Amino acid sequence: MENQENLALSLRKEMIQLNLKRMRTVAWTLMYISAIITFIHFGEVFFSKEERVMVPTYIAIHTVMFYINLAVLLFVKDKRIHVSSINIRKYEYILIGYLYMTILLITGITVMDVFYFNHAALYEVFFLVICTVFAVSLRKMIWAVLITVPIIVLSAFLNVGMTGESIKVMLPMSLIVPIGLIIQYRINKMQKQFIKEHILLAEEMTKSQQLSKLLAEKNSELTEQALRDSLTNLPNRRAFDNKLEQIVQQHNKPKALTFMIIDIDFFKNFNDYYGHLHGDAALIKVAGLLDEIAIKYNAFAARWGGEEFVIVSQHAQRFAEHVCEEILEEVRNLKIRHEHSPIADVVTVSIGMCHAKVLNLQHIHTCCEIADQALYTVKQNNRNHFHVKTVVFEGELCLPV
């Protein structure tokens, strides 16, 4: 029900907006015509040898029409026309008032034309123009007909009585007025249908755009989820590979990079003793800490797999070593109890690091392998520490430093 009311209001707004724009067009035309006719009649008054008695009345009516149309053009401007539910009734009154005043003025001129020239051509032409140009309901137009047509018919009867001359006036009007009303009815109906379809199409397009936007957001969320580790919410291995490709594409010359692989010490013992739920909780805490440190130093952290994590940064080797020391200390400060660790009573990590200037994806993959080898070295030497390997690439060759 509410949708139907909104549609009816939108249709009403669009119709009045359309009619107001057409009213301005008609006002421009009538204003120029009135001005030209007024000047012609003034010429008759001042320069014609035979003065016609109806000329002053013609001048008066056309002058009034001129100022009415001028007022419409001055106060109903295209840029100011903004029809809303608040002012729609005001604009409807302006439109109907304009149509009725113009038709009455044309009727006044037509009455004199009937009296002096035995024709109602001006009214007939103007009535057809109104019925063709404006899309208003038949109910509103019929009152203008009921007021004006009897006046013209009565003036013809009073002028010449029921003779052939009066029939020349009445017969064309009896044909043209019904035709005009039929045209008015059809145009109003067709215009309403067209605007209604336009409104419904616009609503469907808006809904479609909203659905497309929602779908894009959902796809973005799904893509984001696909690149996130479901447990720790860190970027996953796939996201890490994408990051490596981005690094290669951004740089056309060798770029210094540091790769750190972080492994939780004796994590199998932790899981076996405390259970997998506590193991997952420990992974989440360590992952959150590594993410904070990566953000702090503008690095990229991801879950490598299992209890292993990886961080890639563009810092110098000495600074990267400082980051490793901070990671070791902060993980110990988490104070996650680990009674079955041979090296400490809390959870600790080991870090393998590789520092090199890389140029392509192959160099990056080699660095990752070397960082993994460095991690293996730490594991062979009592863990809870980090080991650094620095290499230089010459073509496809990897040379230790």
Side-chain angles (χ1 to χ4, degrees), residues 78-90:
D78 284 336
K79 293 182 180 179
R80 293 182 183 177
I81 297 174
H82 180 66
V83 181
S84 65
S85 55
I86 298 172
N87 61 19
I88 186 170
R89 192 172 293 275
K90 178 188 77 173

Side-chain angles (χ1 to χ4, degrees), residues 130-144:
I130 291 296
C131 292
T132 306
V133 172
F134 292 97
V136 296
S137 65
L138 185 61
R139 179 173 54 86
K140 293 176 180 178
M141 284 300 300
I142 198 69
W143 284 105

Side-chain angles (χ1 to χ4, degrees), residues 35-48:
I36 292 168
I37 293 175
T38 302
F39 281 122
I40 291 172
H41 286 315
F42 268 118
E44 288 187 75
V45 171
F46 291 105
F47 302 107
S48 178

Side-chain angles (χ1 to χ4, degrees), residues 48-68:
S48 178
K49 295 180 181 180
E50 296 181 3
E51 182 179 350
R52 295 191 294 173
V53 293
M54 71 289 200
V55 169
T57 308
Y58 279 139
I59 292 174
I61 295 175
H62 281 293
T63 302
V64 172
M65 285 184 62
F66 175 86
Y67 283 111
I68 288 174

Side-chain angles (χ1 to χ4, degrees), residues 152-169:
I152 297 170
V153 171
L154 182 61
S155 66
F157 180 76
L158 292 176
N159 183 33
V160 293
M162 189 59 67
T163 63
E165 294 298 325
S166 63
I167 293 175
K168 289 180 182 179
V169 176

Side-chain angles (χ1 to χ4, degrees), residues 289-301 311-312 315:
L289 173 65
L290 294 177
D291 193 36
E292 289 178 7
I293 293 174
I295 293 172
K296 177 181 176 181
Y297 294 112
N298 195 27
F300 180 82
I311 292 179
V312 57
H315 297 103

Side-chain angles (χ1 to χ4, degrees), residues 3-14:
N3 290 337
Q4 290 296 325
E5 290 177 358
N6 291 335
L7 176 61
L9 181 60
S10 298
L11 179 60
R12 191 175 163 196
K13 287 179 184 178
E14 291 294 328

